[in-house]
Amino acid sequence: MGNKIREYRKAENLSQAKLAEMLGGNSDGSYISRLELGKLSCSTDQLYRISRALDVSLKDLVDFE
Amino acid sequence: MGNKIREYRKAENLSQAKLAEMLGGNSDGSYISRLELGKLSCSTDQLYRISRALDVSLKDLVDFE
């Protein structure tokens, strides 16, 4: 899933810090980095916010099986 | 998403308590009930475990957009 977040983030030319900023709350670039590396899991609510920020569907982000 | 969990759980003829038991850890039937009602969010790792227990893909569980 982390790879999908990275793939779509790069497609949108967003930095990790910028994506974190778009999510609001207190996440930062290192949070996004750990998510992308699979070192961190997030809630399905947060995954939904990420999908909105990247303008993709939730299905796109979990489409790795 | 909760509706999808309920839909597939019923298709497998599993009770909420039985699905909770299959997930291991300390979740119980009321945890599944709150997830299904959207009163609770879970981690993407937990959603993956639910998809394995229900024998569906993650995409199936987030296919509500």
Side-chain angles (χ1 to χ4, degrees):
Chain A
M1 187 182 61
N3 293 337
K4 283 292 180 181
I5 293 172
R6 176 181 296 246
E7 177 188 323
Y8 288 113
R9 175 176 62 78
K10 293 196 169 197
E12 294 286 317
N13 293 312
L14 293 171
S15 67
Q16 292 174 331
K18 181 60 182 168
L19 175 55
E21 185 189 309
M22 292 170 75
L23 297 179
N26 47 18
S27 48
D28 60 12
S30 69
Y31 168 77
I32 299 296
S33 171
R34 280 175 291 148
L35 266 185
E36 290 181 351
L37 293 170
K39 292 183 177 178
L40 200 63
S41 174
C42 67
S43 72
T44 47
D45 288 350
Q46 181 77 315
L47 192 64
Y48 182 73
R49 282 188 289 272
I50 291 171
S51 74
R52 296 304 81 198
L54 297 177
D55 197 22
V56 295
S57 72
L58 270 175
K59 273 170 62 177
D60 293 325
L61 290 182
V62 300
D63 189 11
F64 54 83
E65 287 179 284
Chain B
M1 188 183 60
N3 292 339
K4 284 290 179 182
I5 293 173
R6 174 181 299 245
E7 177 188 323
Y8 288 114
R9 175 176 62 78
K10 291 195 169 196
E12 294 287 316
N13 292 313
L14 294 172
S15 67
Q16 292 173 331
K18 182 59 182 168
L19 175 55
E21 186 190 307
M22 293 169 74
L23 298 179
N26 47 19
S27 47
D28 60 12
S30 69
Y31 167 77
I32 299 297
S33 170
R34 280 175 292 147
L35 268 184
E36 291 181 351
L37 293 170
K39 292 183 177 178
L40 201 62
S41 173
C42 69
S43 72
T44 47
D45 288 351
Q46 180 77 317
L47 192 63
Y48 182 73
R49 282 188 290 274
I50 291 172
S51 74
R52 295 304 82 198
L54 296 177
D55 197 23
V56 295
S57 73
L58 268 175
K59 273 171 63 175
D60 293 325
L61 290 182
V62 300
D63 188 10
F64 53 84
E65 287 178 287

mmCIF file with all atom_site columns, all heavy atoms in Angstrom, chain A residues 9-21:
data_model
loop_
_atom_site.group_PDB
_atom_site.id
_atom_site.type_symbol
_atom_site.label_atom_id
_atom_site.label_alt_id
_atom_site.label_comp_id
_atom_site.label_asym_id
_atom_site.label_entity_id
_atom_site.label_seq_id
_atom_site.pdbx_PDB_ins_code
_atom_site.Cartn_x
_atom_site.Cartn_y
_atom_site.Cartn_z
_atom_site.occupancy
_atom_site.B_iso_or_equiv
_atom_site.pdbx_formal_charge
_atom_site.auth_seq_id
_atom_site.auth_comp_id
_atom_site.auth_asym_id
_atom_site.auth_atom_id
_atom_site.pdbx_PDB_model_num
ATOM 1   N N   . ARG A 1 9  ? 1.532  9.885  -5.171  1.00 0.00 ? 9  ARG A N   1
ATOM 2   C CA  . ARG A 1 9  ? 2.070  11.162 -4.682  1.00 0.00 ? 9  ARG A CA  1
ATOM 3   C C   . ARG A 1 9  ? 3.009  11.753 -5.741  1.00 0.00 ? 9  ARG A C   1
ATOM 4   O O   . ARG A 1 9  ? 2.934  12.926 -6.084  1.00 0.00 ? 9  ARG A O   1
ATOM 5   C CB  . ARG A 1 9  ? 2.838  10.960 -3.373  1.00 0.00 ? 9  ARG A CB  1
ATOM 6   C CG  . ARG A 1 9  ? 3.540  12.228 -2.875  1.00 0.00 ? 9  ARG A CG  1
ATOM 7   C CD  . ARG A 1 9  ? 4.216  12.039 -1.531  1.00 0.00 ? 9  ARG A CD  1
ATOM 8   N NE  . ARG A 1 9  ? 5.269  11.042 -1.560  1.00 0.00 ? 9  ARG A NE  1
ATOM 9   C CZ  . ARG A 1 9  ? 6.490  11.248 -2.052  1.00 0.00 ? 9  ARG A CZ  1
ATOM 10  N NH1 . ARG A 1 9  ? 6.813  12.418 -2.594  1.00 0.00 ? 9  ARG A NH1 1
ATOM 11  N NH2 . ARG A 1 9  ? 7.408  10.305 -2.005  1.00 0.00 ? 9  ARG A NH2 1
ATOM 12  N N   . LYS A 1 10 ? 3.884  10.888 -6.295  1.00 0.00 ? 10 LYS A N   1
ATOM 13  C CA  . LYS A 1 10 ? 4.839  11.357 -7.322  1.00 0.00 ? 10 LYS A CA  1
ATOM 14  C C   . LYS A 1 10 ? 4.101  11.772 -8.589  1.00 0.00 ? 10 LYS A C   1
ATOM 15  O O   . LYS A 1 10 ? 4.457  12.760 -9.231  1.00 0.00 ? 10 LYS A O   1
ATOM 16  C CB  . LYS A 1 10 ? 5.878  10.275 -7.595  1.00 0.00 ? 10 LYS A CB  1
ATOM 17  C CG  . LYS A 1 10 ? 6.792  10.048 -6.383  1.00 0.00 ? 10 LYS A CG  1
ATOM 18  C CD  . LYS A 1 10 ? 8.045  9.279  -6.718  1.00 0.00 ? 10 LYS A CD  1
ATOM 19  C CE  . LYS A 1 10 ? 9.005  9.354  -5.527  1.00 0.00 ? 10 LYS A CE  1
ATOM 20  N NZ  . LYS A 1 10 ? 10.397 8.996  -5.869  1.00 0.00 ? 10 LYS A NZ  1
ATOM 21  N N   . ALA A 1 11 ? 3.026  11.058 -8.909  1.00 0.00 ? 11 ALA A N   1
ATOM 22  C CA  . ALA A 1 11 ? 2.256  11.414 -10.106 1.00 0.00 ? 11 ALA A CA  1
ATOM 23  C C   . ALA A 1 11 ? 1.644  12.809 -9.966  1.00 0.00 ? 11 ALA A C   1
ATOM 24  O O   . ALA A 1 11 ? 1.435  13.518 -10.940 1.00 0.00 ? 11 ALA A O   1
ATOM 25  C CB  . ALA A 1 11 ? 1.164  10.372 -10.330 1.00 0.00 ? 11 ALA A CB  1
ATOM 26  N N   . GLU A 1 12 ? 1.391  13.184 -8.691  1.00 0.00 ? 12 GLU A N   1
ATOM 27  C CA  . GLU A 1 12 ? 0.821  14.514 -8.433  1.00 0.00 ? 12 GLU A CA  1
ATOM 28  C C   . GLU A 1 12 ? 1.917  15.551 -8.166  1.00 0.00 ? 12 GLU A C   1
ATOM 29  O O   . GLU A 1 12 ? 1.639  16.688 -7.802  1.00 0.00 ? 12 GLU A O   1
ATOM 30  C CB  . GLU A 1 12 ? -0.104 14.449 -7.214  1.00 0.00 ? 12 GLU A CB  1
ATOM 31  C CG  . GLU A 1 12 ? -1.360 13.605 -7.399  1.00 0.00 ? 12 GLU A CG  1
ATOM 32  C CD  . GLU A 1 12 ? -2.401 14.304 -8.280  1.00 0.00 ? 12 GLU A CD  1
ATOM 33  O OE1 . GLU A 1 12 ? -2.619 15.511 -8.099  1.00 0.00 ? 12 GLU A OE1 1
ATOM 34  O OE2 . GLU A 1 12 ? -2.939 13.640 -9.188  1.00 0.00 ? 12 GLU A OE2 1
ATOM 35  N N   . ASN A 1 13 ? 3.193  15.117 -8.310  1.00 0.00 ? 13 ASN A N   1
ATOM 36  C CA  . ASN A 1 13 ? 4.335  16.024 -8.037  1.00 0.00 ? 13 ASN A CA  1
ATOM 37  C C   . ASN A 1 13 ? 4.249  16.648 -6.644  1.00 0.00 ? 13 ASN A C   1
ATOM 38  O O   . ASN A 1 13 ? 4.472  17.858 -6.475  1.00 0.00 ? 13 ASN A O   1
ATOM 39  C CB  . ASN A 1 13 ? 4.418  17.139 -9.084  1.00 0.00 ? 13 ASN A CB  1
ATOM 40  C CG  . ASN A 1 13 ? 4.768  16.585 -10.439 1.00 0.00 ? 13 ASN A CG  1
ATOM 41  O OD1 . ASN A 1 13 ? 5.721  15.792 -10.537 1.00 0.00 ? 13 ASN A OD1 1
ATOM 42  N ND2 . ASN A 1 13 ? 3.987  16.910 -11.466 1.00 0.00 ? 13 ASN A ND2 1
ATOM 43  N N   . LEU A 1 14 ? 3.875  15.828 -5.666  1.00 0.00 ? 14 LEU A N   1
ATOM 44  C CA  . LEU A 1 14 ? 3.797  16.331 -4.296  1.00 0.00 ? 14 LEU A CA  1
ATOM 45  C C   . LEU A 1 14 ? 4.981  15.794 -3.490  1.00 0.00 ? 14 LEU A C   1
ATOM 46  O O   . LEU A 1 14 ? 5.348  14.622 -3.617  1.00 0.00 ? 14 LEU A O   1
ATOM 47  C CB  . LEU A 1 14 ? 2.504  15.851 -3.625  1.00 0.00 ? 14 LEU A CB  1
ATOM 48  C CG  . LEU A 1 14 ? 1.176  16.391 -4.162  1.00 0.00 ? 14 LEU A CG  1
ATOM 49  C CD1 . LEU A 1 14 ? 0.012  15.643 -3.515  1.00 0.00 ? 14 LEU A CD1 1
ATOM 50  C CD2 . LEU A 1 14 ? 1.066  17.881 -3.900  1.00 0.00 ? 14 LEU A CD2 1
ATOM 51  N N   . SER A 1 15 ? 5.540  16.644 -2.666  1.00 0.00 ? 15 SER A N   1
ATOM 52  C CA  . SER A 1 15 ? 6.572  16.169 -1.740  1.00 0.00 ? 15 SER A CA  1
ATOM 53  C C   . SER A 1 15 ? 5.866  15.453 -0.581  1.00 0.00 ? 15 SER A C   1
ATOM 54  O O   . SER A 1 15 ? 4.657  15.624 -0.358  1.00 0.00 ? 15 SER A O   1
ATOM 55  C CB  . SER A 1 15 ? 7.364  17.358 -1.182  1.00 0.00 ? 15 SER A CB  1
ATOM 56  O OG  . SER A 1 15 ? 6.508  18.148 -0.353  1.00 0.00 ? 15 SER A OG  1
ATOM 57  N N   . GLN A 1 16 ? 6.640  14.676 0.178   1.00 0.00 ? 16 GLN A N   1
ATOM 58  C CA  . GLN A 1 16 ? 6.062  14.010 1.357   1.00 0.00 ? 16 GLN A CA  1
ATOM 59  C C   . GLN A 1 16 ? 5.543  15.058 2.333   1.00 0.00 ? 16 GLN A C   1
ATOM 60  O O   . GLN A 1 16 ? 4.479  14.922 2.920   1.00 0.00 ? 16 GLN A O   1
ATOM 61  C CB  . GLN A 1 16 ? 7.110  13.102 2.004   1.00 0.00 ? 16 GLN A CB  1
ATOM 62  C CG  . GLN A 1 16 ? 7.472  11.897 1.146   1.00 0.00 ? 16 GLN A CG  1
ATOM 63  C CD  . GLN A 1 16 ? 8.608  11.090 1.717   1.00 0.00 ? 16 GLN A CD  1
ATOM 64  O OE1 . GLN A 1 16 ? 9.488  11.614 2.407   1.00 0.00 ? 16 GLN A OE1 1
ATOM 65  N NE2 . GLN A 1 16 ? 8.630  9.789  1.395   1.00 0.00 ? 16 GLN A NE2 1
ATOM 66  N N   . ALA A 1 17 ? 6.312  16.140 2.486   1.00 0.00 ? 17 ALA A N   1
ATOM 67  C CA  . ALA A 1 17 ? 5.917  17.198 3.420   1.00 0.00 ? 17 ALA A CA  1
ATOM 68  C C   . ALA A 1 17 ? 4.610  17.861 2.971   1.00 0.00 ? 17 ALA A C   1
ATOM 69  O O   . ALA A 1 17 ? 3.714  18.116 3.778   1.00 0.00 ? 17 ALA A O   1
ATOM 70  C CB  . ALA A 1 17 ? 7.031  18.238 3.517   1.00 0.00 ? 17 ALA A CB  1
ATOM 71  N N   . LYS A 1 18 ? 4.491  18.078 1.663   1.00 0.00 ? 18 LYS A N   1
ATOM 72  C CA  . LYS A 1 18 ? 3.282  18.739 1.125   1.00 0.00 ? 18 LYS A CA  1
ATOM 73  C C   . LYS A 1 18 ? 2.073  17.828 1.331   1.00 0.00 ? 18 LYS A C   1
ATOM 74  O O   . LYS A 1 18 ? 0.997  18.292 1.738   1.00 0.00 ? 18 LYS A O   1
ATOM 75  C CB  . LYS A 1 18 ? 3.473  19.055 -0.361  1.00 0.00 ? 18 LYS A CB  1
ATOM 76  C CG  . LYS A 1 18 ? 2.279  19.775 -0.993  1.00 0.00 ? 18 LYS A CG  1
ATOM 77  C CD  . LYS A 1 18 ? 1.990  21.112 -0.313  1.00 0.00 ? 18 LYS A CD  1
ATOM 78  C CE  . LYS A 1 18 ? 0.780  21.788 -0.920  1.00 0.00 ? 18 LYS A CE  1
ATOM 79  N NZ  . LYS A 1 18 ? 0.320  22.943 -0.098  1.00 0.00 ? 18 LYS A NZ  1
ATOM 80  N N   . LEU A 1 19 ? 2.220  16.527 1.046   1.00 0.00 ? 19 LEU A N   1
ATOM 81  C CA  . LEU A 1 19 ? 1.093  15.600 1.249   1.00 0.00 ? 19 LEU A CA  1
ATOM 82  C C   . LEU A 1 19 ? 0.691  15.599 2.721   1.00 0.00 ? 19 LEU A C   1
ATOM 83  O O   . LEU A 1 19 ? -0.494 15.674 3.052   1.00 0.00 ? 19 LEU A O   1
ATOM 84  C CB  . LEU A 1 19 ? 1.461  14.187 0.791   1.00 0.00 ? 19 LEU A CB  1
ATOM 85  C CG  . LEU A 1 19 ? 0.410  13.102 1.061   1.00 0.00 ? 19 LEU A CG  1
ATOM 86  C CD1 . LEU A 1 19 ? -0.946 13.464 0.467   1.00 0.00 ? 19 LEU A CD1 1
ATOM 87  C CD2 . LEU A 1 19 ? 0.882  11.748 0.532   1.00 0.00 ? 19 LEU A CD2 1
ATOM 88  N N   . ALA A 1 20 ? 1.684  15.572 3.612   1.00 0.00 ? 20 ALA A N   1
ATOM 89  C CA  . ALA A 1 20 ? 1.397  15.581 5.058   1.00 0.00 ? 20 ALA A CA  1
ATOM 90  C C   . ALA A 1 20 ? 0.613  16.835 5.420   1.00 0.00 ? 20 ALA A C   1
ATOM 91  O O   . ALA A 1 20 ? -0.394 16.781 6.134   1.00 0.00 ? 20 ALA A O   1
ATOM 92  C CB  . ALA A 1 20 ? 2.708  15.519 5.843   1.00 0.00 ? 20 ALA A CB  1
ATOM 93  N N   . GLU A 1 21 ? 1.036  17.955 4.851   1.00 0.00 ? 21 GLU A N   1
ATOM 94  C CA  . GLU A 1 21 ? 0.363  19.241 5.135   1.00 0.00 ? 21 GLU A CA  1
ATOM 95  C C   . GLU A 1 21 ? -1.096 19.182 4.677   1.00 0.00 ? 21 GLU A C   1
ATOM 96  O O   . GLU A 1 21 ? -2.012 19.629 5.372   1.00 0.00 ? 21 GLU A O   1
ATOM 97  C CB  . GLU A 1 21 ? 1.124  20.347 4.396   1.00 0.00 ? 21 GLU A CB  1
ATOM 98  C CG  . GLU A 1 21 ? 0.651  21.764 4.651   1.00 0.00 ? 21 GLU A CG  1
ATOM 99  C CD  . GLU A 1 21 ? 1.338  22.733 3.697   1.00 0.00 ? 21 GLU A CD  1
ATOM 100 O OE1 . GLU A 1 21 ? 2.593  22.690 3.617   1.00 0.00 ? 21 GLU A OE1 1
ATOM 101 O OE2 . GLU A 1 21 ? 0.633  23.485 2.989   1.00 0.00 ? 21 GLU A OE2 1
#
